[in-house]
Each structure stands twice: as C-alpha cells, then as structure tokens.
Amino acid sequence: EAGVAQSPRYKIIEKRQSVAFWCNPISGHATLYWYQQILGQGPKLLIQFQNNGVVDDSQLPKDRFSAERLKGVDSTLKIQPAKLEDSAVYLCASSLARVLDSYTEAFFGQGTRLTVV
Amino acid sequence: SQQGEEDPQALSIQEGENATMNCSYKTSINNLQWYRQNSGRGLVHLILIRSNEREKHSGRLRVTLDTSKKSSSLLITASRAADTASYFCATNAGNMLTFGGGTRLMVKP
C-alpha cells in the first residue's frame, strides 16, 4: 500500500514570499491532518479535514495560512506571506476513520521542511 | 496547545537496558497512541491503547494507561541502538489527534 505522499521535501523562501505544500493521502482515508513541527517540539495540529469538510482549524493562523482538500482526496496548504517563525516541518497525515470517535491510527508523510530566510 | 506532556524530555541509556517514558494529559480521551520519529523523518505509529484498556503489549513495547490519573507510560525492553529516536504520545478525542512535546531517547551501543 502506498503511503502518504508530500511534496516538496524541502523549500527555502524569503520572508513575505508565498509557498504551497501538497499532500496525497492513502487511498480511501477519510481524515487528513496538517501539522506544523518546529525543531525540538511535538507536532501542532493546524487543520483537520473529514472528507472535504473542515473538522478543526482553530490553530491555523488564518491571516496567512490556508488549506483546502480537493474532492476529499489531495490537499494543499499555503502560506502567504511567510514569516521567519514559519520555519518548520509541515507534516501531512491521514487516517481511515470515517466517523468521529473512531479508533484508528494516523499515517504520516515524510514532511516538507520549510526554511524562511 | 498540546494535550499530552512527556517525561523525561530526554533519556540516555545503554543498549540492553529498558527505557520508560511517561505521558500526562488533561482531558478525556477515546484512545492514546504512541509514535516514533527518527531524525528528519515522519512519524511512525507504534501502538494504540483504548480508554477502556489498562495495558497493551507489542513486541518489546509495553504501554499502560491510567485514565484516573490521566497518564500513560511506554516501556521499551532490551533497547537497541536502532531505538534511538524521539517518542511522542498522542491523545485522540473526537477523532482529533493531539501530540505532546516528545521524549528524545538515545541508546548507546
């Protein structure tokens, strides 16, 4: 079974520029997560989709971050404009769970390492 | 905000020794999961324990859950150098998966 695919693996941009990350979850997985992981810290949930609907985006800085999940499959996360503190690894994960309160694990992609200079 | 907090933040042991990591959380959960992350890589799921379970085993891993104390522990027995990684607990509530800050484990050969 193919895993969660993310691209690009690495990205270096200047502050105030824009950047987009792409994620292709495991086929059939209803739930998709985007996490931000700053060096030395645990992953912080940015946004969670159930199919193509948003379940939670309470920690997404909506003035600069946006995300969408097209047709309930692929997802993109965009930052515009980027700040220095956005330097982090952006992880995408997917889960088979189709309903809330389900007991399934999440599968993670390799992440995109973003450096803002 | 992070639901779970791991303790210790860093742990260094010799190969063959056991490693114990603890996780505390704040709110009611459906299940608690442990993940491993090698440097520069994505997270890999290790084990899931449901809120109505108290102990679970998988190979050299043993996880306990005490919902009255809102805490969990991960025990890795007979550690190997290849176990060197960061370990995270993640609480699942309402299908939201929230991670702690992690324990960085180093196993010296």
Side-chain angles (χ1 to χ4, degrees):
Chain A
E1 160 179 275
V4 176
Q6 288 189 248
S7 67
R9 283 297 311 277
Y10 305 93
K11 190 75 177 177
I12 301 174
I13 62 172
E14 295 182 349
K15 59 184 179 183
R16 291 188 288 274
Q17 285 188 323
S18 63
V19 64
F21 312 127
W22 174 80
C23 173
N24 180 232
I26 294 173
S27 178
H29 280 197
T31 302
L32 186 147
Y33 310 85
W34 281 103
Y35 287 88
Q36 179 193 60
Q37 186 176 25
I38 293 172
L39 186 65
Q41 298 182 17
K44 183 182 88 170
L45 180 66
L46 293 175
I47 189 167
Q48 177 180 338
F49 293 94
Q50 184 84 13
N51 296 309
N52 60 352
V54 176
V55 173
D56 184 89
D57 63 357
S58 58
Q59 297 192 88
L60 186 73
K62 298 181 186 63
D63 58 333
R64 298 185 300 106
F65 286 63
S66 65
E68 61 178 359
R69 189 176 185 193
L70 304 173
K71 299 180 181 178
V73 182
D74 291 7
S75 178
T76 55
L77 176 69
K78 297 179 182 178
I79 307 175
Q80 182 179 9
K83 293 185 176 181
L84 295 177
E85 60 259 36
D86 297 332
S87 293
V89 176
Y90 291 84
L91 296 164
C92 178
S94 69
S95 168
L96 189 58
R98 296 184 183 277
V99 296
L100 297 181
D101 299 335
S102 185
Y103 300 94
T104 55
E105 65 189 88
F107 294 82
F108 281 79
Q110 297 281 32
T112 296
R113 183 177 298 276
L114 174 67
T115 302
V116 183
V117 297
Chain B
S1 62
Q2 293 183 321
Q3 157 83 300
E5 293 296 333
E6 285 90 338
D7 170 62
Q9 291 187 333
L11 180 62
S12 181
I13 59 175
Q14 292 295 134
E15 205 166 26
E17 294 181 338
N18 295 340
T20 300
M21 289 159 262
N22 303 296
C23 170
S24 60
Y25 57 93
K26 299 172 184 173
T27 63
S28 297
I29 59 173
N30 298 322
N31 63 66
L32 187 144
Q33 304 178 26
W34 285 89
Y35 287 78
R36 165 191 166 133
Q37 185 178 39
N38 288 83
S39 180
R41 308 294 295 271
L43 283 83
V44 175
H45 180 265
L46 294 176
I47 194 165
L48 180 154
I49 185 165
R50 299 180 179 184
S51 59
N52 61 352
E53 297 176 314
R54 292 297 167 258
E55 188 172 312
K56 203 161 184 180
H57 297 256
S58 177
R60 294 184 296 113
L61 305 180
R62 172 178 170 257
V63 169
T64 62
L65 179 64
D66 187 334
T67 53
S68 66
K69 295 181 179 179
K70 292 187 170 58
S71 67
S72 174
S73 67
L74 170 68
L75 169 68
I76 304 174
T77 60
S79 63
R80 305 166 182 168
D83 294 329
T84 294
S86 291
Y87 292 82
F88 297 91
C89 70
T91 53
N92 183 302
N95 203 32
M96 287 180 59
L97 199 58
T98 307
F99 286 82
T103 293
R104 278 151 283 286
L105 173 66
M106 175 174 289
V107 181
K108 301 174 185 176

